[in-house]
Amino acid sequence: MRKFATVFTIMGLLYVLSAFFGQAELYAQTAGASSGSLANALNVFWKHTGFSSVDYKYLLMIAVGLFFIYLAIRYNYEPLLLVPIGTGIIIGNIPLMEGFQIGIYEEGSVLNYLYFGVLKGVYPPLIFLGIGAMTDFSSMISNPRLMLLGAAAQLGVFGTFIGAMAMGFEIREAAAISIIGGADGPTAIFASSKLAPHFIGSIAIAAYSYMALVPVIQPPIMNLLVSKKERLIKMKPPRAVSKLEKILFPLIGLILTLFISPSALPLLGMLFFGNLLKESGVTNRLAETARTSLIDIITIVLGLTVGASTQAVRLLEDPVTGEMVNKGFLTSGSIKIFVLGAFSFAVATAGGLLFAKIMNLFLKEGNKVNPLIGAAGVSAVPASARVAQQEGLKADPSNHLLMHAMAPNVSGVIGSAVAAGIMMNFLL
Amino acid sequence: MTFLINVENWEWSDIFTITLVGYSVVFLVLVLLIYVFKLMPVVLNYKKRKSVEPGGAKMKGTEAHYVAGEVNAAIAMSLILYFNEQQHDDESNVITIKRVARIYSPWSSKIYSVNNVLR
């Protein structure tokens, strides 16, 4: 708490400083300083600093960025994402004088070139390539019926779609927002870049924030929906999967899923390609690059630019009324997106848990699934699987659910990409 | 561009259609994958099963062809322990110190004395 007080005090001091310099500027103007004088030079310099155009909204966003970095470093919440995004938020909310090709939205600026990859959906498929190259699908192949949990958790996507429509969003915006329920950052960014590019920042920040908060969001819902007796269910160990099956999985998955939902091609195509690189056994160098250097580079650039796109104030002319409207991050739309994001994660978790309970009604004793692993269907690899494992261990320290939870977890990735593809099929 | 839904003048029925169709398609894709991967071990082991069946030993489904991961882990662990034991047995059994090292130590060297009195 003291740390927060310190941060806000510094923010306040900066604001007071800006107000003081604003007075100095006014003095320089009233004194009628001639060009070339010290007062005028200082005035010009002042106008080029961030203090001259600072607004409390920028400071608020900088505080959000610092909070993300704090969460990542202090609590280890998704540090690989929150540190670049938090830094990006700070970079994007430094008040700038426009026209010098510096800001992310200014054509020709370095940040704008990097942001191109977000706007055109270049980075998410590359992230998926890396995910494919690092994911072991054998737990899913050994127990395929657990894939249903990944499908059930997509209730979060479609429930949020209805919710977003009810909250007054335009249909494509609602579809883009709904993908937050897939708990998959790259998929959410990809879908919003196609369906609602003006909301990329808000959607990405909401998706990644809630993904980082999975260990906080999911346990209360698990406690609410899963009884003590159900938590104690022990599942059969997964069988060993042959190498041939592992090689065939990406090929069959690629053909089957993309014939049904071709719009998911950039995401699922790269996911399965990455997995083939890993499992084929003859392209180790490529797989190694995809799962280490490549995904790291893309994560850095994606996180930073997504963070930087959250400019608090961005005045743009409304095409209909001609008035200047704030299309920046701090709008009522962003707040609604955050509310819907929380709702979508809760619904997705509940969907997975309840479906696991329904599955148990039809399964014989000994074959039953522990409903806790249903929560892993929300994607958010591997955080949600880890939560299922931890909750399982709390009930029975000898009950390890991680391997079982990985099956709905990775099928959730496929499910959310398919859901995004369907949304794009309908609306693009 | 052709839209399946009128994005400007949508109705609630359109929204529910997208929701229902979308959710069903997600299930359809994953159910298809389930069937494929349930069938795959059966297909892959078809030849093997055929060669075993005439001999009398019938195998039930796919379970008989695979060893559980934890059994594999137990076998691997026992092999590691076995080989480690072998290494242990191969040791020379000579436990005497072979060489007494006389390493120079300046702890009592006269040249480092405080008072180097010339004689």
Side-chain angles (χ1 to χ4, degrees), chain A residues 144 152 165 172 240 245 249 257, chain B residues 3 10 23 29 34 37 41 66-67:
Chain A
M165 291 306 297
R172 285 192 194 132
E245 279 178 279
F249 171 75
T257 53
Chain B
F3 300 111
W10 55 270
Y23 202 36
V29 169
I34 290 170
F37 289 105
Y66 294 99
V67 183

Side-chain angles (χ1 to χ4, degrees), chain A residues 23-107:
Chain A
Q23 289 299 316
E25 183 188 341
L26 203 67
Y27 173 75
Q29 281 168 1
T30 49
S34 60
S35 68
S37 70
L38 181 66
N40 199 40
L42 282 172
N43 186 23
V44 171
F45 170 72
W46 167 250
K47 277 185 177 168
H48 281 78
T49 65
F51 295 111
S52 69
S53 49
V54 73
D55 189 270
Y56 77 92
K57 289 176 179 170
Y58 290 117
L59 296 180
L60 193 68
M61 285 307 295
I62 290 172
V64 171
L66 290 171
F67 180 62
F68 272 34
I69 295 169
Y70 173 74
L71 277 183
I73 297 171
R74 179 73 179 82
Y75 296 106
N76 212 24
Y77 282 169
E78 300 277 354
L80 300 181
L81 294 170
L82 291 192
V83 170
I85 291 176
T87 315
I89 293 174
I90 298 170
I91 289 173
N93 284 284
I94 301 291
L96 303 166
M97 184 183 255
E98 290 200 3
F100 292 94
Q101 296 186 333
I102 300 167
I104 195 162
Y105 293 111
E106 287 185 89
E107 262 187 50

Side-chain angles (χ1 to χ4, degrees), chain A residues 140-141 144-148 150-155 158-159 161-162 165-166 169-172 236-242 244-246 248-250 252-253 256-257 260-261 272 355 411 414-416 418-419 422-423 425-428, chain B residues 1-12 14-45 48 62-72:
Chain A
M140 197 174 89
I141 301 168
R145 68 190 170 157
L146 297 181
M147 278 191 225
L148 284 175
Q154 302 315 313
L155 187 67
F158 296 102
F161 179 56
I162 294 172
M165 291 306 297
F169 282 101
E170 192 253 316
I171 194 164
R172 285 192 194 132
K236 276 185 188 171
R239 69 172 170 85
V241 176
S242 68
L244 184 58
E245 279 178 279
K246 285 186 182 178
L248 286 175
F249 171 75
I252 294 170
L256 203 66
T257 53
I260 295 172
S261 177
F272 289 124
F355 195 84
S411 69
I414 300 171
S416 57
V418 172
I422 294 158
M423 288 296 190
N425 265 348
F426 273 116
L427 301 169
L428 284 181
Chain B
M1 223 184 273
T2 52
F3 300 111
L4 292 174
I5 300 287
N6 187 347
V7 290
E8 302 301 330
N9 301 310
W10 55 270
E11 287 174 18
W12 274 105
D14 298 331
I15 304 305
F16 289 117
T17 308
I18 295 177
T19 304
L20 275 178
V21 173
Y23 202 36
S24 313
V25 172
V26 172
F27 264 95
L28 175 74
V29 169
L30 290 170
V31 166
L32 274 173
L33 277 176
I34 290 170
Y35 276 104
V36 168
F37 289 105
K38 269 193 175 280
L39 278 174
M40 199 157 66
V42 181
V43 175
L44 291 178
N45 292 294
K48 216 186 277 177
T62 57
E63 283 175 25
H65 299 284
Y66 294 99
V67 183
E70 59 187 13
V71 177
N72 280 342

Side-chain angles (χ1 to χ4, degrees), chain A residues 106 199 219 268 319 334:
Chain A
E106 287 185 89
F199 276 140
L268 289 180
S334 299

Side-chain angles (χ1 to χ4, degrees), chain A residues 145-224:
Chain A
R145 68 190 170 157
L146 297 181
M147 278 191 225
L148 284 175
L149 299 174
Q154 302 315 313
L155 187 67
V157 171
F158 296 102
T160 311
F161 179 56
I162 294 172
M165 291 306 297
M167 282 178 98
F169 282 101
E170 192 253 316
I171 194 164
R172 285 192 194 132
E173 292 172 346
I177 294 163
S178 69
I179 305 300
I180 298 173
D184 200 330
T187 309
I189 292 170
F190 185 76
S192 54
S193 72
K194 304 286 174 200
L195 292 163
H198 52 287
F199 276 140
I200 284 184
S202 315
I203 290 172
I205 298 290
Y208 281 121
S209 311
Y210 291 126
M211 275 166 68
L213 292 172
V214 154
V216 180
I217 299 170
Q218 287 196 322
I221 304 166
M222 288 167 153
N223 289 336
L224 194 72

Side-chain angles (χ1 to χ4, degrees), chain A residues 240-303:
Chain A
V241 176
S242 68
K243 194 182 175 215
L244 184 58
E245 279 178 279
K246 285 186 182 178
I247 294 171
L248 286 175
F249 171 75
L251 294 170
I252 294 170
L254 180 76
I255 295 164
L256 203 66
T257 53
L258 293 180
F259 262 90
I260 295 172
S261 177
S263 299
L265 192 140
L267 295 175
L268 289 180
M270 293 300 251
L271 179 82
F272 289 124
F273 171 51
N275 193 243
L276 185 63
L277 291 179
K278 174 182 179 279
E279 301 298 352
S280 66
V282 290
T283 50
N284 284 340
R285 275 174 52 192
L286 303 186
E288 191 60 28
T289 305
R291 69 171 159 254
T292 53
S293 320
L294 182 67
I295 200 167
D296 288 349
I297 292 167
I298 301 296
T299 305
I300 291 168
V301 183
L302 180 74

